[in-house]
Amino acid sequence: SIVQGFGSYSYVNAGGGICLYSAGSGSVVRIWNNVVYDFAGGGWPAGIRLGDADVILYAFNNTVYNNNTGFRNTDGVFVSRNNLAQHCGGGFDGSFDGSSSNNLSDHADAPGTNSRNSTIVTFVDADHGNFHLSAADTGARNYGADLSADAHLAFSDDINGRARPIGPAWDIGADERALAPELVVLGNGARIANGAAMPNLTNHTDFGIVAVNGGALTRTFTITNQGEQSLTVEAVSIGGAHPAD
């Protein structure tokens, strides 16, 4: 998921992008493959925040950017692995479980073993909300831990649904940088899965109801390359029943 704030808040005493409070005794929460950004300003907004002593939080492979604090724990057990904090007032604040590892911060505060401190990550276009890792990045790529068999939160894909790893090791953060050309089609800003056969309102593949006589509806779909190598797109054809409609 992508969670965006308003950029600069006048004052936020608590909270932020993803916040856990009053979850209930013995709760176990798992958060992975998210981008959280623009929760900045006065007070204490954080990208991901735990404030409940009754909660165990497993937060893996998240990217936070331009928040007062990237990851904050004021209560509870916070296990942080493969998390990435950039352009925040502080990357990681509070106590983190001893099993935390492979985190990254541009401050000297990344917790756990094999973590990377005072490290700058290069994104494709962070100013415009594109937090895919750049082909030029040397900070996060191939420095993550393999969590495919993690006992508490096992997964093996990234925020885009790409299989991890691409290359010799996992990348830190929500994105796994693609090496080969990768064609991605977006509708309404949402990714359309390869081979998807079911129309969907969210990505505009469901056109709804249009009058046969004189009705018209325009949809724009964008073809992008999220790989490192050049992508060549030749003729584009429209198939299916009544493709001219």
Side-chain angles (χ1 to χ4, degrees):
S1 298
I2 298 174
V3 184
Q4 181 182 10
F6 289 106
S8 183
Y9 293 82
S10 58
Y11 188 80
V12 178
N13 184 46
I18 301 175
C19 306
L20 299 174
Y21 297 96
S22 303
S25 179
S27 295
V28 177
V29 180
R30 298 170 175 86
I31 299 172
W32 71 100
N33 284 345
N34 299 283
V35 173
V36 186
Y37 68 107
D38 283 355
F39 288 89
W44 304 98
I48 296 178
R49 177 173 181 153
L50 174 59
D52 190 329
D54 293 322
V55 171
I56 299 175
L57 170 61
Y58 297 97
F60 296 171
N61 280 98
N62 299 285
T63 295
V64 299
Y65 183 90
N66 191 37
N67 306 290
N68 265 25
T69 302
F71 302 86
R72 171 174 284 127
N73 182 25
T74 56
D75 272 310
V77 177
F78 195 136
V79 182
S80 176
R81 303 192 70 187
N82 289 356
N83 287 315
L84 187 163
Q86 293 283 285
H87 199 60
C88 299
F92 296 79
D93 179 64
S95 62
F96 294 84
D97 187 76
S99 62
S100 299
S101 74
N102 298 79
N103 299 293
L104 185 152
S105 174
D106 50 359
H107 297 272
D109 55 13
T113 58
N114 300 316
S115 291
R116 295 174 61 74
N117 284 292
S118 304
T119 301
I120 302 299
V121 172
T122 305
F123 298 108
V124 171
D125 189 0
D127 290 341
H128 295 93
N130 187 336
F131 295 101
H132 290 100
L133 295 176
S134 166
D137 177 66
T138 58
R141 293 175 59 189
N142 301 318
Y143 284 102
D146 185 342
L147 303 179
S148 61
D150 186 84
H152 304 288
L153 173 54
F155 62 101
S156 57
D157 58 2
D158 75 348
I159 190 172
N160 299 300
R162 282 191 293 256
R164 297 179 186 265
I166 299 173
W170 283 40
D171 297 341
I172 298 175
D175 179 56
E176 186 79 9
R177 178 67 191 180
L179 299 176
E182 181 181 9
L183 187 150
V184 175
V185 180
L186 303 176
N188 193 33
R191 185 185 181 110
I192 301 171
N194 185 30
M198 183 65 67
N200 187 298
L201 287 172
T202 300
N203 59 28
H204 279 180
T205 53
D206 187 335
F207 281 65
I209 299 173
V210 181
V212 174
N213 216 358
L217 181 64
T218 301
R219 297 287 204 214
T220 300
F221 299 94
T222 305
I223 297 174
T224 65
N225 176 19
Q226 294 188 357
E228 291 187 10
Q229 300 172 4
S230 297
L231 172 69
T232 300
V233 178
E234 298 180 347
V236 177
S237 62
I238 300 174
H242 311 292
D245 289 351

